[in-house]
Amino acid sequence: MTSFFIKTFGCRVNQVESQAILEQFKQAGFMPATDFEHADICVLNTCTVTHQADKDVEKLVRQILRRSPSTRVVLTGCYAAAHREHIQAVFPTVEIIGKYDLGRVLFNQEDICWTVSGHEGHSRAFIKIQDGCDNFCSYCIVPYARNVKRSKPLADVLKEIEQLVKNGFLEVVLTGINIGNYLCPRTRADLAKLCKEIARMPGTFRIRFSSIELPTVTNEIIEQMHHHPDRFCNYFHLPLQAGCNKILRDMNRHYTTQDYAKRVADLRERVPQIGIFADVIAGYPTETQADFETTYEFIKSQQLAGLHVFSYSPRPGTPAAKLPQLSHEEIKRRADKLRELDKELRTHFAASLVGTEQVIFVEEKKSGVLHGITSNFQQVILPESCKAHGLVRVKIVRAEQQLCYAQLCL
């Protein structure tokens, strides 16, 4: 029996795509291998969002070719799509196969169906509802690798959710490269319409959005969250990238800080106790010290629940990569300051929940301690004697730094 090994780099989209590839391999009669050295075919689902991501992929390719030269090595994903000529020059024996060609090449099928029945190694499930982005932010390589926008038919999304819930997954995350651009190819239903249909589904489960771009957050989406708090998590990951309008223009972002603040206020008004997290980039080439301080103060003023801080990394082929770059030391200094702010924000958010009741999704025991996650994405620790599972209601009794501690509601 032919054996396979899959290694995933990067984002949630890649993770759910790898799950779909894994299920396709199994359906075709292949056997999973424990590592690449015991595999006949090794698929690397790659990422190129940072320079480090590229290096990680190339390092593993070299290891496979050195230790297991007879293994068939297949590269797919963003790094493979964006750097095809470089890969062919450096690794001539490696196959490069596009995401939408994998089915034809590997399984003699027209396409891989990007539908999953579970998520191996995870207690929450992820559904890819959309692919592609054509925003072309000046720092971002993703549109060069995934610029064709595609969406999964609405009926297929609903069917996939139904199957995942039947398989025991009580929290399902809708993911994609830019999920706010969801548009059903059959009915032209947008994300708000999809949410409306999901709200009508029977059963006990909740839906969480992955990262969603500010201009695509419509009033209709917010209203679905407002009217169906048990179905949609009161959580948004709302990329900011910079809190300075000059830098947002330089980045080719399509909003202002005023737009961002207005949407944050709208969400807080309509969705109680919402946890709003943001991406932010430290050290964009045109960012002066004054611009950075403006970003820092803007983030503080919004009282976000937390940050995902990126140190700017030039991506060859993007407009920002052609600009004079800040020093690594300066980028690190700014990133470190933002990460300290992230700790402050998360500590404040955790403290704000003390005394409230929350529905948590109990995930697993870590170091013998049961923990879970609230709808608004707060990590919660339960008593050692607790035997809860699934979705349970708890009362937050105290907070320590970024963690909350809770007891079950009777």
Side-chain angles (χ1 to χ4, degrees):
M1 184 179 291
T2 304
S3 59
F4 70 93
F5 178 79
I6 300 172
K7 172 64 177 178
T8 308
F9 297 84
C11 66
R12 294 293 191 190
V13 176
N14 271 11
Q15 292 179 28
V16 73
E17 287 174 344
S18 290
Q19 175 67 28
I21 296 168
L22 180 147
E23 292 185 15
Q24 191 70 49
F25 267 117
K26 288 183 175 180
Q27 291 169 14
F30 289 68
M31 177 181 66
T34 55
D35 54 58
F36 67 78
E37 291 180 295
H38 295 89
D40 298 304
I41 179 171
C42 184
V43 177
L44 308 187
N45 194 359
T46 65
C47 173
T48 189
V49 73
T50 65
H51 176 62
Q52 186 60 49
D54 293 353
K55 290 172 62 177
D56 290 343
V57 173
E58 293 182 6
K59 179 181 178 181
L60 182 56
V61 171
R62 289 189 178 94
Q63 288 178 346
I64 296 171
L65 295 179
R66 183 174 67 252
R67 298 182 193 174
S68 188
S70 62
T71 298
R72 181 184 179 187
V73 182
V74 173
L75 264 60
T76 192
C78 290
Y79 169 79
H83 306 290
R84 177 178 290 269
E85 291 184 2
H86 168 75
I87 296 167
Q88 290 174 332
V90 177
F91 306 112
T93 62
V94 168
E95 295 179 64
I96 303 170
I97 306 176
K99 288 280 177 70
Y100 292 89
D101 295 321
L102 280 171
R104 175 179 54 81
V105 177
L106 296 181
F107 309 112
N108 197 29
Q109 297 180 4
E110 188 62 28
D111 194 1
I112 285 181
C113 179
W114 300 106
T115 298
V116 298
S117 61
H119 205 93
E120 199 158 292
H122 294 264
S123 52
R124 296 183 294 155
F126 298 82
I127 290 180
K128 176 185 171 183
I129 66 168
Q130 183 274 344
D131 199 356
C133 178
D134 58 4
N135 286 345
F136 287 95
C137 298
S138 61
Y139 55 83
C140 186
I141 193 69
V142 172
Y144 299 89
R146 293 181 184 253
N147 63 338
V148 178
K149 292 192 288 188
R150 298 178 173 91
S151 294
K152 185 176 290 182
L154 185 148
D156 293 355
V157 175
L158 299 180
K159 184 178 179 181
E160 191 170 359
I161 293 173
E162 181 182 20
Q163 186 60 52
L164 286 166
V165 173
K166 284 182 179 178
N167 290 348
F169 291 92
L170 301 183
E171 181 170 307
V172 177
V173 183
L174 304 184
T175 190
I177 298 301
N178 196 339
I179 65 169
N181 283 335
Y182 177 83
L183 193 65
C184 174
R186 297 172 186 167
T187 67
R188 312 307 289 173
D190 60 8
L191 183 59
K193 175 62 175 176
L194 173 61
C195 290
K196 191 173 183 179
E197 295 300 318
I198 292 173
R200 292 180 175 143
M201 295 179 68
T204 302
F205 66 93
R206 69 188 189 190
I207 294 291
R208 187 180 299 278
F209 299 120
S210 66
S211 179
I212 182 169
E213 291 289 335
L214 180 78
T216 66
V217 179
T218 64
N219 292 334
E220 291 77 13
I221 294 172
I222 297 174
E223 286 307 299
Q224 288 300 313
M225 297 174 71
H226 171 75
H227 289 295
H228 305 283
D230 293 333
R231 180 52 46 92
F232 298 104
C233 292
N234 56 343
Y235 159 85
F236 256 2
H237 190 105
L238 200 61
L240 173 63
Q241 310 307 7
C244 170
N245 286 335
K246 177 173 78 72
I247 301 304
L248 288 173
R249 287 192 300 270
D250 290 350
M251 288 178 167
N252 196 34
R253 302 290 288 176
H254 304 291
Y255 53 85
T256 65
T257 55
Q258 291 77 17
D259 296 330
Y260 195 95
K262 173 64 167 60
R263 209 30 137 189
V264 167
D266 293 339
L267 285 162
R268 286 184 173 142
E269 179 182 354
R270 300 298 288 165
V271 186
Q273 296 182 6
I274 188 168
I276 302 175
F277 296 74
D279 292 339
V280 61
I281 297 173
Y284 184 79
T286 62
E287 182 185 71
T288 65
Q289 180 60 33
D291 296 332
F292 172 73
E293 294 298 336
T294 299
T295 286
Y296 186 89
E297 292 303 323
F298 176 77
I299 293 171
K300 285 186 69 174
S301 74
Q302 295 306 295
Q303 297 182 319
L304 301 175
L307 302 175
H308 188 180
V309 179
F310 292 88
S311 296
Y312 172 76
S313 172
R315 300 283 71 218
T318 62
K322 301 172 185 176
L323 300 170
Q325 305 292 308
L326 301 181
S327 69
H328 293 297
E329 293 76 17
E330 181 59 23
I331 293 173
K332 182 179 184 303
R333 187 189 68 79
R334 295 180 189 182
D336 287 345
K337 186 172 181 178
L338 287 170
R339 290 189 177 106
E340 285 302 312
L341 177 58
D342 169 55
K343 292 178 183 178
E344 293 177 20
L345 293 172
R346 291 177 188 267
T347 298
H348 182 270
F349 184 64
S352 74
L353 298 178
V354 174
T356 66
E357 290 189 3
Q358 304 287 332
V359 175
I360 69 168
F361 176 67
V362 181
E363 293 189 287
E364 60 186 46
K365 280 193 174 183
K366 289 186 176 180
S367 302
V369 177
L370 200 63
H371 79 105
I373 187 169
T374 64
S375 176
N376 52 18
F377 212 65
Q378 172 62 48
Q379 290 288 329
V380 175
I381 304 297
L382 292 171
E384 290 186 18
S385 60
C386 183
K387 299 184 184 301
H389 65 277
L391 294 171
V392 298
R393 182 170 289 278
V394 302
K395 183 173 183 179
I396 307 297
V397 294
R398 76 179 196 276
E400 294 181 8
Q401 295 183 330
Q402 293 99 49
L403 288 176
C404 282
Y405 292 79
Q407 59 187 21
L408 292 178
C409 291
L410 298 178

